[in-house]
Amino acid sequence: MPFVTASSQRGPYDVIIVGSGAGSGQAAYTLCMEGVRVLMLEAGRRYTPATESPMFQTPDMAPLGGADTPDKNKGFYDATVDGGWDVPGQPYVSVPDQWGGHFTWWRARMLGGRTNHWGRISLRNGPYDFKPHTRDGLGFDWPITYDDVAPYYDKVELLVGVYGGDTSLENTPAGPGDTLLPPPKPIVSDHLLMKRAPRLGIPVLPGRRAVLTRAQDHRTIPGRLHPGNQRAQKILAEAMKKRSPCLWATPCGRGCAVAANYQSTTVHIPPALATGNLDIITDAMVYEVTMGKNGRANGVRFVDAKTGKHEHVTGRAVVLGASAYETVRILLNSKSGPFPNGLANSSGLVGRYILDTVGSSVSAQIPLLESLPPLNDDAADGLQVYVPWWLYKENLSHKLPFPRGYHIEYGGGRQMPSAGTFAGLEWLTGGSYGKKFKEDARRYYGSFVYYDGRGAMVPNDKSYVEIDPKVKDKFGIPVLRIHWQWGDYEQRQAVHMQQTFGELAEAMGGRVTSPIVTDPLRAVAPGGYMIHEVGGTIMGADARSSVTNRWSQTWDVPNLFVADGGVFPYNADKNPTLTIMALSWRMSDHILERMRRRDI
Amino acid sequence: MTDRRTTLKLVIAAAAAMPALRARANYRDNLEPGASEPGDVRRFEPTIHGYGPDPDLIKAYEKGAFWPLTMNAGQRQLAAALCDLIIPADEHSPSASAVGAVDFIDEWISAPYPKQREDRDTVLNGFVWLDGEARRRFEQPFAKLHEAQQRTICDRICDASRAAADLRGPAQFFAAYRNLTAAGFYTTLAGRKDLQYIGNVALTHFDGAPVELLRKLGLA
Ligand SMILES: Cc1cc2nc3c(=O)[nH]c(=O)nc-3n(C[C@H](O)[C@H](O)[C@H](O)COP(=O)(O)OP(=O)(O)OC[C@H]3O[C@@H](n4cnc5c(N)ncnc54)[C@H](O)[C@@H]3O)c2cc1C
Ligand code: SF4
């Protein structure tokens, strides 16, 4: 029984891993496949997608037609349980930004973390994204290059399964050819974008998401991922056979019972468990890394969320992957004689340079898409196509008032009607009701598209987290206080997004559903809205200017590692999770090497 | 990313908040009330208790499974009359009340969440106004009026952007009620059929846009 408790654990363990999301899941997978004994601690409950995903449930089976509520922030059927914008009994403190707005912090508390419901958009960082300072003098370079990470992008894409298209566009790399699965075929609204966007000089590419558009090649991939390791190959081949290709139906955010998309709970954890090397304790809220006399971490302390009991578990190394800011919280709460300001914090930078993604959205109504015949537009639940950043040269020549790019996530089509689908149509219908309203609903159904901008954020001094001096959560653990400010670049970039979306809507013969926002303060979504939290334990070239090194290892404590997005010194426009997984795999390989050398 | 359904819902919900202005609330207007002056430190903690953060997602729920419904018989009659004025039966599909829209709305306005509490006030106050208006002009409660009489009343409030200044409140009520009726109707099987929605079925392959259609639209 690999799900254990503090009393039934089967130590000694080689590595203690905190969290079970993208970063921790990848670390557990890589380490267990190589024979390392791992204990994973997850603050939330055990969660089983195969039996708990409400894939085909329709809105009329749910309270409020499935609408979102303070209890289920992304709708009743969203896979998130026990987490979201608020977590009962686990507050945080937010200091308002320059306009009195707040950073909103989405937190998962369940096995698999946010990977159970994430959007599955999986873009690689490009070469520029690892060396932004070299390119334009702002922010920080990573201490690694694209070439260092590329083999790990290849591996992660092969393991989890990512669809997409090959591309030779600037700073928009793909693997050596066969790491991506075929993208879904475009729907009508996609074709409209593909036809019209190029008129504005805007490229449209196949989307990239972690969804199996066909079965994985279980004959060759295991050998490529685990050369020379027969046992790992066998386990992975079996795991791959158990995953179904996409059913071309149902929202991925509810979770996928047939494991056709990536969730840590369906892709990373099952094979790791199959090795026999992984034990998991759920409902284990970690609050402190404990230190041995030799200056090395020797374990962690946690509260059993069910009983309130405090427990201590030990291992030869500790990997933190509780999500970027929560990992900071654990480090800052781990105070001891040699580390009065929190663990691994000799630089004073733990909690500094937190980052999110610049977000801004516009939707439009497109007459050409009205009154279409019945169509199944489900594809693999969205992002058949997307727009990568296309103005790199203009960035560099300062033709734009902001230095870094954004990409556009685009969608539309005849989606399953939800509680909001026909709300607020007066501007089109003149306030019709009666039979005319039904006709209008048929006419306008499926004629809306949206453009979601996702942009790079340059790190700034005013965005950081620290421990609140007073407030504690229900376990008695001091909570985070979040400081947040968008810089001018981000605000201007958001205005550019708005204007571009207006132009795209026009080029598609449509009308925006709301005025284009040109006030920079109002164009950018508040911090946290994009749920791309990274930074806070940034990696760098030396111990003075960073918390972790090129291996995601803390400078101060050689057997303490960070597996989540905390290590990002910069958040490019590319959604972070694929990179989190690639870096976690790379970190795990490094741990293995050090274990072989008996450094750890 | 926010998935496509959530995004559309967010955008549309924001639009619905201000139907008269046809303006999507921008991000700053979406901030929770209470967001305040710089320097003010705020704690985030949930205070509402509805179905909780971990309900059983697999089973199907009857309306009223989590909180008691509140409309009385008179209110339900009025609710049904207005639902069916907004979405009547036609050659394609039944009326809204015939597929449970009244129960949907009752459950909605009985829910403990802030947005629904707000809608509750809007709807129940709107009911009072509507019946008052019906009695004042036709000496009958709204539900008892002929459709033509009902329309005389509703034509003046069906488009908030054109409603007289003193009818702005009732017009907002009507907009909210139409949103709720549409939500109650189009989330059912009958509503989906009316729209000729054919998705959400497992397929072995996905074909994308039909070529003939693309050609017809000039997109091939
Ligand atoms: C709606 C939504 C859509 C998204 N879409 C995308 C997308 O399309 N593409 C993309 O790249 N990213 C997307 N993301 C972001 C993505 O989910 C995260 O980047 C990713 O999950 C990060 O992985 P992680 O392992 O760092 O953290 P998480 O997945 O959050 O996992 C952290 C885990 O640690 C646990 N934990 C926390 N504190 C403790 C503690 N003290 N002790 C023990 N355990 C603890 C949590 O319960 C959780 O299970 C999206 C997120 C959301 C919410
Ligand atoms: S769309 Fe495909 S991958 Fe997504 S939940 Fe449905 S079957 Fe799974």
Side-chain angles (χ1 to χ4, degrees):
Chain A
M1 175 66 180
F3 282 85
V4 297
T5 63
S7 47
S8 67
Q9 55 154 314
R10 305 173 302 175
Y13 294 101
D14 298 316
V15 179
I16 306 287
I17 296 182
V18 178
S20 60
S24 300
Q26 183 63 61
Y29 172 89
T30 304
L31 293 170
C32 290
M33 284 299 219
E34 294 299 326
V36 175
R37 296 269 302 134
V38 170
L39 177 64
M40 173 181 268
L41 302 169
E42 164 53 51
R45 73 162 169 87
R46 185 173 173 183
Y47 172 76
T48 315
T51 55
E52 295 194 65
S53 309
M55 288 180 80
F56 284 99
Q57 270 73 348
T58 49
D60 42 335
M61 297 158 78
L64 308 175
D68 49 286
T69 67
D71 279 325
K72 293 279 292 181
N73 301 160
K74 300 257 177 209
F76 188 76
Y77 286 129
D78 183 75
T80 310
V81 300
D82 291 331
W85 297 121
D86 289 305
V87 180
Q90 302 186 44
Y92 62 93
V93 173
S94 149
V95 180
D97 65 17
Q98 58 262 56
W99 321 296
H102 286 276
F103 185 92
T104 50
W105 189 20
W106 181 284
R107 289 168 295 165
R109 287 288 182 274
M110 65 194 295
L111 191 67
R114 286 174 287 164
T115 69
N116 293 305
H117 74 123
W118 69 310
R120 279 118 181 137
I121 296 183
S122 300
L123 305 176
R124 293 182 176 208
N125 274 356
Y128 302 165
D129 302 324
F130 287 100
K131 298 293 171 194
H133 181 84
T134 303
R135 197 172 138 78
D136 61 25
L138 297 166
F140 315 113
D141 282 344
W142 295 70
I144 48 181
T145 64
Y146 174 73
D147 290 337
D148 292 324
V149 187
Y152 290 95
Y153 280 135
D154 296 349
K155 287 185 204 220
V156 171
E157 286 172 357
L158 287 170
L159 174 68
V160 308
V162 175
Y163 73 69
D166 208 358
T167 158
S168 51
L169 287 187
E170 195 173 9
N171 200 40
T172 307
D178 65 347
T179 61
L180 294 173
L181 300 164
K185 300 219 174 71
I187 63 173
V188 177
S189 50
D190 298 331
H191 282 278
L192 182 58
L193 181 77
M194 287 152 65
K195 189 105 177 162
R196 303 287 172 81
R199 293 184 189 170
L200 301 173
I202 297 177
V204 181
L205 294 179
R208 283 198 207 174
R209 290 178 64 243
V211 174
L212 302 186
T213 48
R214 65 167 184 230
Q216 285 175 297
D217 182 356
H218 61 85
R219 287 194 182 80
T220 64
I221 293 175
R224 289 168 71 181
L225 294 182
H226 302 287
N229 184 341
Q230 298 293 332
R231 182 145 190 274
Q233 291 176 20
K234 197 154 165 269
I235 288 169
L236 179 57
E238 285 310 308
M240 284 183 160
K241 280 192 237 169
K242 288 193 187 125
R243 297 182 65 191
S244 156
C246 179
L247 307 177
W248 309 109
T250 79
C252 293
R254 298 179 178 196
C256 191
V258 297
N261 61 34
Y262 167 75
Q263 302 174 222
S264 169
T265 35
T266 55
V267 177
H268 278 142
I269 293 177
L273 285 173
T275 64
N277 293 323
L278 177 64
D279 284 354
I280 302 175
I281 306 183
T282 52
D283 303 293
M285 183 71 188
V286 174
Y287 59 91
E288 187 186 353
V289 178
T290 56
M291 295 293 290
K293 294 224 163 56
N294 53 1
R296 294 190 166 221
N298 64 9
V300 303
R301 279 189 226 285
F302 67 92
V303 188
D304 183 325
K306 284 193 168 145
T307 64
K309 266 177 74 181
H310 289 244
E311 309 281 0
H312 186 220
V313 290
T314 56
R316 287 157 64 194
V318 174
V319 171
L320 297 177
S323 80
Y325 312 163
E326 194 72 38
T327 285
V328 168
R329 183 182 175 203
I330 295 170
L331 288 174
L332 292 180
N333 277 332
S334 303
K335 288 186 188 152
S336 61
F339 296 102
N341 302 318
L343 196 58
N345 196 21
S346 65
S347 62
L349 292 178
V350 172
R352 295 276 147 177
Y353 304 114
I354 58 168
L355 298 151
D356 188 34
T357 291
V358 180
S360 202
S361 304
V362 165
S363 70
Q365 195 275 330
I366 313 282
L368 191 70
L369 302 176
E370 289 171 15
S371 305
L372 292 185
L375 291 166
N376 181 328
D377 285 341
D378 280 354
D381 193 34
L383 209 80
Q384 299 76 246
V385 298
Y386 87 113
V387 173
W389 181 237
W390 67 103
L391 298 173
Y392 284 105
K393 302 208 167 47
E394 287 76 1
N395 277 147
L396 210 52
S397 60
H398 303 286
K399 282 213 185 92
L400 293 170
F402 55 93
R404 312 262 173 87
Y406 59 87
H407 69 265
I408 307 172
E409 299 173 3
Y410 169 80
R414 295 166 66 93
Q415 309 307 331
M416 176 175 307
S418 70
T421 302
F422 295 101
L425 290 186
E426 290 83 353
W427 66 283
L428 294 166
T429 65
S432 66
Y433 62 100
K435 288 190 178 173
K436 173 75 169 35
F437 180 75
K438 288 176 102 170
E439 285 160 21
D440 283 338
R442 286 171 209 131
R443 170 178 171 187
Y444 294 114
Y445 173 55
S447 72
F448 293 87
V449 299
Y450 65 83
Y451 316 89
D452 278 346
R454 297 290 180 261
M457 175 177 177
V458 179
N460 71 57
D461 286 337
K462 299 199 172 104
S463 299
Y464 63 98
V465 291
E466 60 185 346
I467 297 294
D468 189 87
K470 290 202 281 286
V471 182
K472 297 194 166 80
D473 67 12
K474 66 176 176 188
F475 308 112
I477 309 169
V479 309
L480 281 187
R481 169 196 285 253
I482 305 179
H483 301 254
W484 185 265
Q485 309 259 302
W486 288 118
D488 291 341
Y489 292 139
E490 286 76 37
Q491 297 172 43
R492 292 183 202 142
Q493 191 195 55
V495 171
H496 192 270
M497 291 179 185
Q498 289 277 321
Q499 288 163 336
T500 302
F501 302 160
E503 288 164 20
L504 278 171
E506 206 183 307
M508 290 164 62
R511 294 173 285 179
V512 293
T513 62
S514 58
I516 296 303
V517 182
T518 51
D519 172 359
L521 298 185
R522 296 186 166 265
V524 63
Y529 263 44
M530 296 305 124
I531 323 184
H532 288 166
E533 71 173 90
V534 296
T537 52
I538 65 170
M539 67 159 68
D542 61 67
R544 263 182 307 111
S545 62
S546 56
V547 178
T548 46
N549 67 15
R550 53 192 286 113
W551 305 109
S552 312
Q553 177 187 32
T554 62
W555 288 108
D556 297 349
V557 185
N559 65 340
L560 177 61
F561 296 81
V562 176
D564 53 39
V567 299
F568 283 42
Y570 167 52
N571 199 11
D573 67 285
K574 322 302 200 296
N575 319 43
T577 310
L578 187 76
T579 302
I580 291 175
M581 292 193 263
L583 293 176
S584 176
W585 196 321
R586 189 169 177 273
M587 169 200 79
S588 303
D589 273 359
H590 185 71
I591 294 176
L592 289 167
E593 195 189 309
R594 285 187 163 240
M595 284 185 155
R596 278 179 209 124
R597 293 203 314 246
R598 307 226 157 263
D599 271 5
I600 290 178
Chain B
M1 86 166 190
T2 41
D3 63 85
R4 60 182 176 186
R5 288 170 177 89
T6 314
T7 313
L8 281 174
K9 222 164 57 191
L10 277 177
V11 168
I12 289 162
M18 285 189 293
L21 302 174
R22 198 197 130 185
R24 185 195 55 146
N26 62 44
Y27 288 112
R28 293 289 139 183
D29 299 333
N30 280 341
L31 291 176
E32 298 159 52
S36 43
E37 296 307 304
D40 178 12
V41 174
R42 182 141 172 271
R43 289 172 59 168
F44 284 82
E45 209 169 3
T47 49
I48 303 115
H49 298 289
Y51 48 64
D54 190 10
D56 181 342
L57 301 185
I58 301 303
K59 70 183 248 195
Y61 292 93
E62 297 298 322
K63 300 292 169 235
F66 288 107
W67 44 81
L69 304 182
T70 52
M71 284 191 206
N72 61 31
Q75 287 168 329
R76 286 183 67 86
Q77 272 166 21
L78 173 53
L82 192 52
C83 275
D84 291 353
L85 188 67
I86 292 171
I87 299 190
D90 64 5
E91 62 275 26
H92 298 285
S93 60
S95 74
S97 79
V99 298
V102 173
D103 293 327
F104 176 89
I105 294 171
D106 199 357
E107 180 194 56
W108 186 279
I109 65 165
S110 308
Y113 305 110
K115 176 167 175 12
Q116 281 74 18
R117 304 300 298 184
E118 224 175 89
D119 287 343
R120 174 194 183 84
D121 291 344
T122 307
V123 167
L124 295 182
N125 292 338
F127 280 3
V128 172
W129 181 87
L130 203 60
D131 251 349
E133 189 71 1
R135 284 179 204 279
R136 189 175 67 77
R137 298 181 58 177
F138 304 108
E139 291 164 359
Q140 291 267 24
F142 186 83
K144 291 255 158 68
L145 303 186
H146 303 301
E147 190 191 323
Q149 294 170 321
Q150 292 175 334
R151 283 196 161 263
T152 342
I153 296 176
C154 291
D155 279 347
R156 297 169 66 216
I157 57 171
C158 68
D159 183 359
S161 68
R162 287 186 286 126
D166 60 328
L167 291 179
R168 212 156 275 157
Q172 265 160 19
F173 151 70
F174 194 86
Y177 199 86
R178 179 173 37 213
N179 289 348
L180 287 174
T181 304
F185 179 75
Y186 290 108
T187 53
T188 64
L189 183 61
R192 290 193 287 276
K193 277 196 177 148
D194 179 293
L195 297 167
Q196 298 191 283
Y197 172 75
I198 54 168
N200 211 41
V201 287
L203 304 172
T204 51
H205 53 96
F206 180 77
D207 293 333
V211 183
E212 323 81 70
L213 179 61
L214 291 176
R215 245 183 242 128
K216 201 175 128 208
L217 297 172
L219 299 175

